[in-house]
Amino acid sequence: MSAGEQPEEAETTYREAMREALRDALRADDRVFLMGEDVGRYGGCFGVSLGLLEEFGPERVRDTPLSESAFVGAGIGAALAGMRPIVEIMTVNFSLLALDQILNNAATLLHMSGGQLPVPLVIRMTTGAGRQLAAQHSHSLEGWYAHIPGIRVLAPATIEDARHMLAPALADPDPVLIFEHGSLYNASGVLSPPAAPADIDHATVRRPGTDISMITYGGSLSKALAAADELSTEGISAEVVDLRTLRPLDNEAITATVAHTHRAVIVDEAWRTGSLTAEISARIAEESFYELDAPVERVCSAEVPIPYARRLEEAALPQIADIVAAAHRAVG
């Protein structure tokens, strides 16, 4: 078996799955290159690109200066010139330094040029808390990006999605932002063939249920599944929906699960005010109001900068007990 190939049943981690996706993309298309701070010699700040510099060389795995605006802008320029750049930003907090490039250039050029200037750019970044990295490395701002028309926002929550979402993202003519929750990189599991491209258009039901819907994504998925397990011991059947794509939201999946269970808990590690949970709640109120048997519940982070101290960080983040409590309120 040559390097990079997946065995029939492979135990792997989320980090390794993402690395294999990058390796496949670099092998499949000479126009693809990876660019970002420390992605080369250091192997990426979370080790995702470890070994790719040695395999593909510095022309295709490029270390950049500490200037998010500059290297995201360079990625946009390369995409306009026909390349297929993958830009890595260390954390979502630092992406704000490139927000002008993402919002005012990547997301708008296709529309402002009357369809003449597509920007097939993929930007990967780490999001979320839970690793004691304090406020400037721990926030969940993907909901902000889901606000922006002209881009697609992905949140792979499983090893399979980490492995298979990159290829369709690269094939998308629009800019695609991929948010990788930092707590997932060490998650491991069996990755089974066949290696089919992931569906980046639709949400999916990770656990079927009949009494209440838990709608979530990314790093919160495992907590929602654990809460569903706990609720099942009490005879409460929870359906867990993984959004997978935050923009465009899969409205049909949201309305379908609410019509099925008639109760909803939305779990999101971002702040509650003006959040993705607020958008989903509004859509449920607009389109599924008469399906509801109870008010929609939201479980979000405390509205504070994420603390460094472990106990304070845990207190600020949505926990399994919080999700179970919200489900109890909804079920009554």
Side-chain angles (χ1 to χ4, degrees):
M1 186 176 65
S2 61
E5 290 183 353
Q6 292 288 346
E8 290 186 357
E9 292 285 343
E11 180 82 20
T12 190
T13 65
Y14 186 97
R15 173 187 291 106
E16 292 164 346
M18 183 60 73
R19 186 185 305 143
E20 288 307 310
L22 289 168
R23 180 174 281 122
D24 273 359
L26 288 161
R27 284 176 174 170
D29 188 340
D30 289 341
R31 299 174 299 170
V32 173
F33 68 97
L34 176 65
M35 178 168 56
E37 297 158 355
D38 287 336
V39 300
R41 292 180 180 84
Y42 191 71
C45 61
F46 293 95
V48 172
S49 56
L50 201 64
L52 297 183
L53 172 66
E54 291 76 9
E55 186 172 351
F56 295 97
E59 290 294 315
R60 303 190 66 200
V61 182
R62 291 173 172 247
D63 282 321
T64 67
L66 289 166
S67 178
E68 282 77 7
S69 181
F71 65 74
V72 171
I76 293 169
L80 289 169
M83 302 296 283
R84 292 293 182 270
I86 303 170
V87 174
E88 178 179 305
I89 299 176
M90 285 185 174
T91 78
V92 66
N93 291 75
F94 304 148
S95 75
L96 302 184
L97 296 164
L99 186 57
D100 177 59
Q101 294 288 6
I102 296 170
L103 171 58
N104 282 328
N105 291 319
T108 61
L109 285 174
L110 180 68
H111 303 272
M112 293 178 68
S113 66
Q116 297 180 78
L117 297 175
V119 184
L121 167 72
V122 172
I123 303 175
R124 301 174 38 245
M125 65 186 90
T126 304
T127 187
R131 294 157 294 138
Q132 285 192 275
L133 295 178
Q136 293 177 334
H137 300 72
S138 300
H139 289 141
S140 296
L141 306 179
E142 53 273 13
W144 291 13
Y145 288 100
H147 174 69
I148 302 170
I151 61 175
R152 181 184 291 270
V153 177
L154 306 181
T158 66
I159 292 169
E160 287 76 14
D161 279 354
R163 179 68 177 83
H164 301 305
M165 273 189 166
L166 182 61
L170 281 166
D172 195 309
D174 290 325
V176 178
L177 273 58
I178 302 178
F179 289 90
E180 302 157 15
H181 196 285
S183 69
L184 294 175
Y185 285 125
N186 290 328
S188 62
V190 174
L191 184 63
S192 302
D199 182 350
I200 61 171
D201 292 317
H202 300 98
T204 190
V205 174
R206 297 294 185 192
R207 177 192 174 110
T210 56
D211 296 328
I212 189 166
S213 297
M214 293 181 178
I215 302 169
T216 190
Y217 68 92
S220 296
L221 175 63
S222 61
K223 293 179 179 178
L225 289 168
D229 286 342
E230 186 171 329
L231 290 166
S232 70
T233 65
E234 307 169 24
I236 300 172
S237 173
E239 181 159 282
V240 180
V241 177
D242 177 4
L243 292 170
R244 304 173 87 196
T245 299
L246 309 185
R247 186 180 184 95
L249 277 172
D250 186 351
N251 258 10
E252 188 175 335
I254 294 169
T255 55
T257 190
V258 172
H260 181 55
T261 68
H262 306 289
R263 295 172 176 84
V265 174
I266 310 169
V267 186
D268 183 0
E269 199 175 296
W271 296 304
R272 178 187 177 100
T273 301
S275 66
L276 196 65
T277 67
E279 174 64 26
I280 296 169
S281 297
R283 293 190 187 203
I284 291 173
E286 289 169 347
E287 301 172 28
S288 304
F289 182 78
Y290 294 106
E291 296 286 355
L292 289 172
D293 287 342
V296 172
E297 292 280 343
R298 292 191 278 159
V299 182
C300 303
S301 285
E303 306 224 4
V304 297
I306 299 297
Y308 169 79
R310 179 175 297 283
R311 290 187 178 180
L312 291 177
E313 184 184 44
E314 289 173 354
L317 297 176
Q319 301 295 343
I320 296 168
D322 302 320
I323 303 170
V324 170
H328 283 157
R329 290 193 296 272
V331 172

